[in-house]
Amino acid sequence: MITLKDYQRKAVDELKRKMIDMLNDSDDRQKLVFKAPTGAGKTVMTSCLLDEMTQELPYNGECKHAQVAWVWIAPNKLHQQSYRSMRNFFSEKRSLRPVMFDECDHLEGLHPGDVLFLNWESINKDNAVLIRDNERSRTLYELIRKTKVEKHIPVVVVIDEEHMFAGRNAKKSELVLRSIQPKVELRISATPVTQTYNAVMVKRQDVVAEEMTKKGVELNPNVKGSKEQSAFTINQQLLEKALKKRNELAKAYAQYDINPLLLIQLPNDSSDALSAGEKTIAEEMKVYLDTQCGISEENGRLACWLSKDKSPNLANITKANDMTEVLLFKQAIALGWDCPRASVLLIFRELESVTFTTQTVGRILRMPEQRFYQNDVLNHGYVYTNLSKDIIQIVQDDMNYLSTVEAQQRRDLVNITLPSVYMDKNKAQRNRLGSTFRKVFFEVMKDTWQLSSNYLFTLAEMLGDDDEVERKDGEQVGGLSPVQLMNRRELHKKGIETDVARIMVEIPKDTHITKLDGQVEITDKARIAMNAYELDALFKQFCRRNVGSFSKYDSMPVLKGAIESALEDYLGVFETEVPKIVLYHANRPQFEDIIKSALLRYTKTQEKQQAAEKRYVEYIWQVPEQRPYNSNACTSREGEIHNHALVPYFEQQKVSAPEYNFARWMDVQNDVVDWWYKNGDEGKQHFAVPYTDSAGQKRCFYVDFIVRLKNSTILLLDTKTCNSDDDAPEKNNALYNYILAEREKGKKMAGGVLINHPGTQNWYYPDGIIEDTKDTNGWTLLDLNVLNNK
C-alpha cells in the first residue's frame, strides 16, 4: 500500500484533472509536462496516477473514455528499473499490469490497464526489431493499431526523463511518436525541455519539507588557498578535501549502518567515450586514491562506471552499507540512478566552465531513510568543484541531449512550393586556421603594440647609459636581445606584464546552495597557484575558446603556435612561460583583442580568396514537416498563437518588435489567412531569395514571413522599421523581381519589405522598386481582404 506525501497527492490529483480534459479533447498528441526534482518520487507519483486513472475512468461520467492503455518509454535501461518498481508497487493490486513487449497480447492488443515498458533504443533505429515488419505481425505499431482501431482504447504514452528525448536520435524518436499517435504524451523530468502551458510542477521546497531530500548543498567547504605551487594538482587537492568530508560523514553515519559514497564525475562533453583529457584525469584520480589513500578497485573500495571500464562491484553499490567508498563516473550514472547513500560529489569541469547540472547534483540529494537526522551535517550534500567564476550557473542536464524542441506541421496543411536558394561555399575549404594565420598574427601584434623586429637602436641607447654599457649591438642581455628588451619596455608602458611568477585560480569555498537551478553568486573564494601541467591545459582551453568561428579542434594548435612563436620572437619568452603571460589577469583582455583583430584580418583575406568560389544552389522549398528550435533561445506560444503552419509556435526570445507585433496581427486574420509561417534566418533549410548587397557581395535574403491566403495567394513579407537596414532596398528589389517572375508562371503572389505606421494596425509594402526606406510615401497598404479577393 502506497501512502503519498501531501505534495505527491496534490500533484497526482492535478495530473488527473488535466489528463481527463485532454482525453475529452478531439486532438491527438497533446503534451502534459510533469516536472519534479530528483528524490521527489516521480515514478511513485506516476504509477499512482496510472493506477487511479485505470480504476476511476469506468465510473467517471466526465470523461468520454472509460478505458486507457499505457506505453511507458524511457532511455537506456531505465525502463527495466521502472518496470520492476511498478511490479513491486502494485503486487497486491490487479488494476495495472506492467508488461514487456514479449508479455503483451499480440492477438488482441493492449488491454485496459496494461503498461507496456519500452526503451528508446529498441524502437528509434531503422532496423529496430520491435517496429520492423515480420511474418507474424508482432510489431509495436500493429499492437497499437489493434488497441486503438479494433478495440477503440486510447493510448497514453509516458515519456520518462523526457529531456533525453531530444537527444541525437530525436528525429527518429519523433517519427515513432507520430506513428503511435497517442492521445496524450505525459513527459516527465526534473529538467523538462518541452514547453507547454499544460504542466504540473512539484516544488523542491515541498519535497524538502517532507524530509525526502537534503536541505541544500555546501560548495567546496573548508577549501584553503595557497600562493605556492603544490606538488599536487588542484584536482588532487580537491580530491583530498572530498575524501576528508566523506570520512567525516562516515563517522556520523556509523550508528545507522550507512557507508557514505563519494562520486567523482569527469568533465562531461555529452559523449560516452573518454577524451584524452578525461583519461588523464581518470588515471590521475586512480593513482592518487591508490598510492595516497589505499583505495583501489582491487580492494573493493573504488568502483568505476565508464563506457569501457565498469567495475565488478557495481552490483551492490546502492546498498546502504556497501563497502565501496568512491565511484568514478562520467555521465551514464546520472540517469535514473538511485543511491541514497551518495553524499559527496567531486565535479571536474574545464577551468573556464561556469556550469554544473541539476541532474548530476541531484544524485547526492536523496535522504537515505527519507528523514532528517539530529546531526545536521547529514542533512546536506557536499560538492567540490574546480569551477572558477564569480557566478556559477546550475543548469539543466547536459547528458547526451541537445537543447532542442520540435514543432510539427499542422494536420491537413495545404503546402506550397517556392523556388529557393542557398549559398554553396567551396566544400574543399575547411573551416580552420591555415598556415598563413601565423604571419597575420605576427603583423597584427607588431602593429597594435608598436613592436620592433629590427635592430634600430644600440643597446646603450635603449638602456640610456652610454658610459657603462660596452656590449655590441645585438648582444644578448640576460638571454634577451636588445630589440626584445625594448619590446618588453614598450609593453610595460601599455600595462602588459611580461614577468609573471605564477597564475592563481580562484575557486568557490564554503558556499551554501539551496536553490538548485539558476545562478549562484560566489562571495567567498580560495586562491590556489596552478602548476605547469594545469597552466598548459588552461592555455589550450584559452586558445580553443578564442578561435572564433573556426574549428576548435583544428585551429587551436595553430593559434597556440602563433602566440608562442610571436612571444618568443618579439619578447624572448620561453614556451613554458607563455601561458603565464597570456593568462595573467591584466594581460588576458589585451591578448584577446589581438587575437580578434588577427582573426578578422585573416578572415577578410580568406573571404577575398573564396569570394569567386561562392555560388547559389537552387532548390524547391516547402513548409517542413518538423523543425527543431533551440529551447534556450525560444519560447513556446502554445495557446497564444493558433494559425502558424507549425505547432506549437516557437518564438525567439529576442524577437524584434515589428516581428512580434506582425505575428499577432496576422494570427487573428483567420477569415482570409489559411496559414502563416515564420521563416528562419540562415541555413539551406529555410526559404531565401538571392540578392546583391550594397557592398556588391552575393547574399541570401531570408524573408521573415510566408503567408498563404485562402484564395491560394502567397505573401512574402519582411518586417522593418524606417532606415533600420542599410540593405533593405536591395532586399526588397530582389524580392520584387522574384515575385514578378513567379507571377509570370501563373502564381498569385505579393510582398516586399513591410513597415508599420506607429500607433496603428496598418502595414505598408512598396509593391515595386525602391531606393530607400526612410518613409513609406507611395507604398501600398497591406489589405488582406483585397488580396484574398483577387
Side-chain angles (χ1 to χ4, degrees), residues 426-604:
N426 181 12
K427 296 181 179 179
Q429 182 68 37
R430 297 184 63 180
N431 183 37
R432 63 179 180 182
L433 294 177
S435 57
T436 58
F437 175 76
R438 174 174 168 173
K439 179 181 179 182
V440 173
F441 185 82
F442 269 63
E443 292 172 349
V444 171
M445 184 172 169
K446 178 183 176 182
D447 296 343
T448 305
W449 287 341
Q450 299 176 327
L451 303 178
S452 177
S453 57
N454 298 307
Y455 298 142
L456 302 179
F457 305 97
T458 65
L459 182 61
E461 289 173 330
M462 288 186 289
L463 297 180
D465 191 347
D466 294 338
D467 295 333
E468 295 186 8
V469 177
E470 298 181 354
R471 295 183 180 89
K472 298 178 181 178
D473 290 354
E475 190 173 340
Q476 301 270 319
V477 178
L480 301 176
S481 73
V483 172
Q484 290 167 343
L485 278 171
M486 182 181 68
N487 286 339
R488 287 191 176 217
R489 291 183 177 181
E490 187 64 33
L491 291 185
H492 185 72
K493 294 176 185 178
K494 293 178 170 58
I496 300 172
E497 182 59 59
T498 59
D499 186 15
V500 181
R502 64 181 64 86
I503 294 292
M504 307 292 290
V505 60
E506 293 183 333
I507 62 174
K509 72 169 185 176
D510 302 324
T511 301
H512 184 65
I513 301 174
T514 56
K515 183 182 177 183
L516 295 181
D517 56 21
Q519 293 183 339
V520 178
E521 183 175 0
I522 306 302
T523 57
D524 198 2
K525 292 179 282 189
R527 302 182 77 242
I528 303 175
M530 302 179 71
N531 62 25
Y533 170 79
E534 292 165 330
L535 279 173
D536 182 65
L538 186 58
F539 183 43
K540 290 178 180 176
Q541 291 176 25
F542 171 85
C543 293
R544 274 197 298 271
R545 293 177 183 276
N546 282 280
V547 294
S549 61
F550 293 94
S551 165
K552 289 177 170 52
Y553 178 81
D554 292 320
S555 302
M556 182 277 288
V558 179
L559 175 58
K560 180 174 179 286
I563 296 173
E564 291 170 343
S565 297
L567 292 191
E568 180 182 0
D569 287 2
Y570 286 126
L571 305 176
V573 177
F574 290 117
E575 181 180 330
T576 55
E577 299 299 307
V578 169
K580 294 180 183 178
I581 295 176
V582 175
L583 299 175
Y584 184 63
H585 67 92
N587 297 347
R588 185 168 182 157
Q590 300 198 58
F591 274 99
E592 289 174 342
D593 289 342
I594 291 288
I595 294 170
K596 288 178 183 177
S597 297
L599 290 174
L600 181 60
R601 186 181 297 185
Y602 177 79
T603 299
K604 289 181 178 179

Side-chain angles (χ1 to χ4, degrees), residues 36-103:
T38 299
K42 291 187 290 294
T43 302
V44 170
M45 288 184 279
T46 305
S47 298
C48 286
L49 168 69
L50 272 55
D51 175 51
E52 293 178 16
M53 289 284 291
T54 301
Q55 292 191 66
E56 296 172 9
L57 280 180
Y59 312 101
N60 189 317
E62 298 179 359
C63 186
K64 64 182 182 182
H65 295 285
Q67 300 172 325
V68 173
W70 313 90
V71 177
W72 188 304
I73 311 178
N76 302 334
K77 296 182 179 180
L78 184 58
H79 70 301
Q80 297 177 357
Q81 178 180 317
S82 300
Y83 169 77
R84 289 191 295 267
S85 297
M86 185 174 285
R87 287 181 67 90
N88 292 333
F89 292 153
F90 300 100
S91 58
E92 299 177 1
K93 290 190 174 185
R94 293 291 180 263
S95 58
L96 288 184
R97 178 174 171 258
V99 294
M100 298 300 238
F101 184 76
D102 289 338
E103 299 171 328

Side-chain angles (χ1 to χ4, degrees), residues 712-732:
S712 300
T713 296
I714 298 171
L715 305 182
L716 304 176
L717 303 163
D718 196 79
T719 54
K720 304 288 182 189
T721 56
C722 291
N723 287 332
S724 62
D725 184 349
D726 291 339
D727 287 333
E730 286 76 15
K731 292 177 179 178
N732 175 83

Side-chain angles (χ1 to χ4, degrees), residues 29 31 120 124 141 159 165 169-181 185 187 406-409 625-627:
R29 295 206 60 192
K31 296 174 179 59
W120 283 116
N124 66 2
Y141 297 150
I159 303 176
F165 171 74
N169 288 317
K171 289 186 177 180
K172 293 180 180 179
S173 300
E174 172 60 29
L175 290 175
V176 171
L177 290 177
R178 292 182 71 179
S179 298
I180 295 175
Q181 280 292 309
E185 296 171 13
R187 296 173 171 240
E406 280 199 351
Q408 305 299 316
Q409 190 183 105
E625 292 186 0
Q626 63 266 334
R627 175 178 164 186

Side-chain angles (χ1 to χ4, degrees), residues 235-406:
N235 293 348
Q236 292 168 342
Q237 295 177 61
L238 287 172
L239 175 56
E240 179 189 14
K241 292 292 184 182
L243 279 170
K244 186 175 181 180
K245 175 58 68 175
R246 193 219 73 86
N247 294 337
E248 174 191 343
L249 297 177
K251 294 179 181 178
Y253 269 127
Q255 59 182 308
Y256 307 109
D257 194 26
I258 295 173
N259 184 31
L261 183 66
L262 164 62
L263 307 179
I264 303 176
Q265 186 188 32
L266 298 174
N268 187 3
D269 61 0
S270 302
S271 169
D272 290 331
L274 295 184
S275 67
E278 290 163 345
K279 290 178 181 178
T280 300
I281 295 177
E283 189 61 28
E284 178 185 10
M285 294 296 100
K286 289 181 180 180
V287 171
Y288 183 90
L289 287 168
D290 187 13
T291 59
Q292 301 295 320
C293 312
I295 297 175
S296 65
E297 291 180 270
E298 287 72 19
N299 60 27
R301 295 170 64 190
L302 170 66
C304 292
W305 193 330
L306 304 173
S307 58
K308 296 182 180 180
D309 183 7
K310 291 182 174 62
S311 304
N313 55 334
L314 288 172
N316 298 316
I317 198 169
T318 59
K319 292 184 178 179
N321 59 0
D322 183 73
M323 69 176 294
T324 305
E325 299 174 12
V326 181
L327 173 62
L328 180 65
F329 73 102
K330 183 176 179 183
Q331 64 178 6
I333 185 180
L335 180 62
W337 190 66
D338 186 2
C339 183
R341 74 183 182 99
S343 304
V344 185
L345 174 63
L346 174 55
I347 305 177
F348 290 121
R349 288 289 183 267
E350 289 190 350
L351 287 170
E352 290 294 294
S353 177
V354 297
T355 67
F356 53 85
T357 71
T358 53
Q359 290 280 347
T360 302
V361 175
R363 298 308 121 204
I364 62 167
L365 289 180
R366 299 179 189 272
M367 292 302 299
E369 298 175 297
Q370 297 186 354
R371 66 181 179 90
F372 287 160
Y373 299 101
Q374 185 174 358
N375 187 346
D376 197 50
V377 73
L378 301 179
N379 300 326
H380 294 81
Y382 300 89
V383 175
Y384 292 84
T385 179
N386 59 350
L387 292 184
S388 176
K389 289 291 179 181
D390 293 334
I391 298 291
I392 286 179
Q393 186 81 12
I394 305 179
V395 299
Q396 294 187 3
D397 181 40
D398 60 358
M399 301 172 301
N400 194 29
Y401 84 96
L402 306 175
S403 55
T404 58
V405 288
E406 280 199 351

